[in-house]
Every structure is written in C-alpha cells, then in structure tokens.
C-alpha cells in the first residue's frame, strides 16, 4: 500500500512517498481502508522530531474509513461499516481501560503515528475499542475531524466539569480544537469568552456561539469582560488550547476556585506558573489528552443532529502530504487539512 512516511525529522519536505505491506489485523482487530486522515498540529511537532515518532514513521491519528476485514475474535457486524477512529487503540483490560480513562492506557497497541503506523496510508488496523460507526449524514472528511478536532474539546470540558450557566474562556479559539470547544461549551449551556490572536476571526467566533471575543487581550480587558458577564472575580473555567502564548493571562482570568484545563501546546516548553496565585485562589490546573470512545460516540451524534458543525476542511491527496504540512506551517489554512489516499 502507498504511505507518506518521515524520511527524516525536519520541514514539510521530509514527508515522502513510500510503500508498505497492508497491515494484518490481529484476531481482535479490524482492518480499515483509510478514506480521510486529518493533519494536526501534533503531526507538525512529530515531523520536527519533538514527539515520540522516529524517522520512518507513518504519521496521522485523525482517521475515518471503511472496515474491510475483521479478526476471528471480533464480535459484531463491523465489515463494510464506515467508521471514525479514536487516536489510540487501548488494551481494554488494564485499570485505566476499566475506568474509561483510555487515553492513559499504555498496554494496548497505542497511539497512531507513534506506537503504531498511522493514517497517512491506505490502510490501518483498528479495534472495536476505538472505532465508532459513522451515519450516512456524516461524510468521510468530516468523520476524520471528529475525534481530535472536536472530541478533544468535549473531553476537556468534561475534565473541567463544566456546568450550564458557567463562564468558560477558550484560548486559541480560532484554531481547530478551539472553535469546536466554543460550540461544545455553548451546547453544554455555558457562556463562552473566546480569545484569539486573529482579528479576522471575531465574526466566525461569534457565529460559533461566543458571547464575547477578545483579540490578544491583556489581564485588564479579561477582567472587564468577566465583570460584564456577572463574574467580577473572574471566569469559572479556562480551556487552554495554545499554551505558552496565553497561559499566564488566562490563569489570572480565573475566579477563586476556578479550573484551567491544558489541551494544547503549540510552542513546546515550560509555562510560567505563579504558585502564589494558584494557592491563594485555590485554582485547579488540569491536563486533558484525547477523547475516549464514548466521547467520540457523543460527538458523532451531536454532529449528525446538527448540534455541532465541524470546521470545513481543505483536502489534499496523500501524495501531497508535504504540501498540506507546508500550508499548516504557514498558518494559511482555513479549517483542517485532510489527506485522502
Ligand atoms: Zn490531532
Ligand atoms: Zn488499557
């Protein structure tokens, strides 16, 4: 089968065409023919050698496709079904899997593009533990966006325990995870303050449901906005999708007892955390990784019902993976880049 693989760590040009044998699904696995695979900021970090993907890896963890075969131990009618996949195949047996916290499982086949070959390919293996059937109303390209670009935000909002009536500040709100987090927080009944670095994204973020949109705000502006939303001591929750560029000001925007969830790390490195602020305000700083299968099921349902509208994607053929990465690096994309084999 054809793949795009990492010839080295570096710029977009290190993504080159390659070929591999079609993978053999284990007895409890599915063989999925990839129909679409999203290109994520995570992939750009992996390409540069900043994550756990060695040279030779096939990246891609945002996968939708059709089940072509199932191992002998697979229960249920999977062959022929269109599916979206969670980024990790968990083991299904460890204490984390039993608790439903499958993003923490380290005993299964693992994370696409790092622990096992990813979706920049014609086929991947999957499992009933990470595959969710797609209804006809959700096309393949949209399906590829659901677990990472949408499900990450849902998982983060659940990790923060967001309740209806709370005020949620979303940083990096114009980005792929951010804009869907705005929609999902609205869906959960929260009032949303969207923070973006791009003045051109104010109108789309209002359309996505943000009550307020702030462009590169300082602490004073965020306090003014929060006070206007009946939160004179600060917002209830921050979903931080960018990391270093916004963390310090976002943390200061929280009310006493507020919660900040880190989901994005666009500029890897340490963050400035004022311990006095965290102690005196009794803040919670949490991490949230990727969706579990139950989160993806909920996202598929929300999208099929029209409650959440995934950001439109731009599609490249798999053979132009390097061009898709160049567009990602240049930040010229409107919506997610998606590769189709
Ligand atoms: Zn992703
Ligand atoms: Zn497990």
């Amino acid at each position: 089968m054809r793949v795009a693989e990492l010839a080295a760590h570096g710029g977009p040009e290190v993504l080159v065409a390659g070929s591999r044998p079609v993978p053999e699904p284990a007895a409890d696995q599915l063989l999925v023919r990839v129909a679409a695979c999203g290109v994520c900021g995570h992939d750009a970090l992996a390409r540069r050698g900043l994550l756990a993907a060695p040279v030779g890896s096939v990246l891609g963890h945002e996968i939708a496709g059709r089940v072509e075969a199932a191992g002998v131990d697979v229960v249920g009618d999977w062959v022929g079904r269109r599916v979206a996949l969670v980024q990790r195949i968990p083991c299904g047996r460890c204490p984390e899997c039993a608790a439903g916290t499958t993003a923490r499982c380290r005993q299964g086949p693992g994370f696409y593009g790092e622990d096992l070959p990813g979706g920049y390919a014609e086929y991947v293996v999957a499992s009933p533990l990470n595959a969710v059937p797609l209804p006809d109303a959700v096309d393949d390209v949209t399906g590829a966006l659901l677990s990472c670009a949408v499900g990450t935000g849902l998982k983060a909002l659940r990790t923060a325990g967001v309740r209806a009536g709370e005020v949620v500040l979303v940083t990096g709100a114009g980005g792929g995870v951010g804009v869907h987090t705005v929609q999902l927080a609205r869906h959960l009944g929260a009032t949303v303050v969207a923070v973006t670095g791009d003045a051109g994204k104010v109108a789309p973020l209002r359309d996505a449901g943000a009550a307020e949109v702030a462009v590169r705000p300082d602490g004073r502006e965020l306090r003014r906005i929060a006070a206007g939303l009946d939160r004179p001591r600060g917002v209830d929750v921050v979903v931080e999708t960018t990391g270093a560029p916004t963390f310090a000001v976002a943390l200061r925007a929280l009310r006493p007892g507020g919660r900040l969830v880190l989901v994005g790390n666009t500029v890897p490195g340490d963050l400035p955390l004022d311990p006095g602020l965290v102690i005196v305000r009794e803040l919670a700083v949490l991490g949230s990784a990727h969706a579990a299968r139950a989160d993806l099921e909920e996202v598929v349902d929300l999208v099929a019902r029209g409650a959440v509208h995934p950001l439109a994607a731009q599609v490249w053929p798999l053979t132009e993976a390097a061009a898709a990465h160049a567009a990602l690096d240049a930040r010229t994309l409107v919506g997610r880049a998606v590769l189709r084999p």
Side-chain angles (χ1 to χ4, degrees), residues 68-250:
E68 292 231 331
V72 292
D73 292 346
V74 171
V75 176
D77 198 11
W78 286 93
V79 175
R81 295 190 101 162
R82 296 172 55 247
V83 292
L85 304 180
V86 173
Q87 298 91 307
R88 175 184 304 279
I89 306 179
C91 78
R93 292 179 300 273
C94 73
E96 298 291 2
C97 285
T101 48
T102 50
R104 304 176 196 167
C105 173
R106 291 296 178 275
Q107 294 177 34
F111 195 92
Y112 290 104
E114 293 174 10
D115 306 313
L116 76 164
Y120 294 7
E122 290 181 279
Y123 293 89
V124 292
V125 294
S127 156
L129 297 171
N130 80 317
V132 172
L134 284 173
D136 291 343
V138 179
D139 64 46
D140 293 328
V141 170
T142 302
L145 307 181
L146 298 186
S147 188
C148 192
V150 187
T152 301
L154 183 66
K155 168 80 180 334
L157 292 165
R158 296 264 191 254
T159 296
V162 169
R163 296 178 294 271
E166 290 197 303
V167 175
V168 176
L169 186 148
V170 180
T171 66
V177 171
V179 70
H180 298 117
T181 305
V182 171
Q183 292 186 38
L184 289 159
R186 277 297 298 139
H187 177 75
L188 295 175
T191 300
V192 180
V193 179
V195 170
T196 176
D198 183 349
K201 290 187 171 164
V202 172
L205 285 167
R206 285 201 177 277
D207 291 345
E212 298 281 352
V213 184
V215 181
R216 297 183 184 278
D218 59 12
R220 175 177 299 197
E221 186 180 358
L222 289 182
R223 279 194 298 279
R224 183 188 62 73
I225 288 171
L229 296 170
D230 198 25
R231 290 297 188 281
R233 303 188 73 190
V235 301
D236 302 300
V237 170
V238 170
V239 179
E240 175 54 88
T241 81
T242 52
T246 49
F247 176 78
V249 72

Side-chain angles (χ1 to χ4, degrees), residues 24-92:
E24 284 279 340
D28 59 351
Q29 287 183 331
L30 310 171
L31 178 67
V32 172
R33 185 178 189 110
V34 178
C37 183
V39 176
C40 181
H42 182 106
D43 298 356
L45 297 178
R47 188 200 74 216
R48 289 162 58 198
L50 301 175
L51 302 175
V55 170
S57 294
V58 176
L59 299 177
H61 58 265
E62 305 186 353
I63 305 165
R66 187 181 294 276
V67 178
E68 292 231 331
V72 292
D73 292 346
V74 171
V75 176
D77 198 11
W78 286 93
V79 175
R81 295 190 101 162
R82 296 172 55 247
V83 292
L85 304 180
V86 173
Q87 298 91 307
R88 175 184 304 279
I89 306 179
C91 78

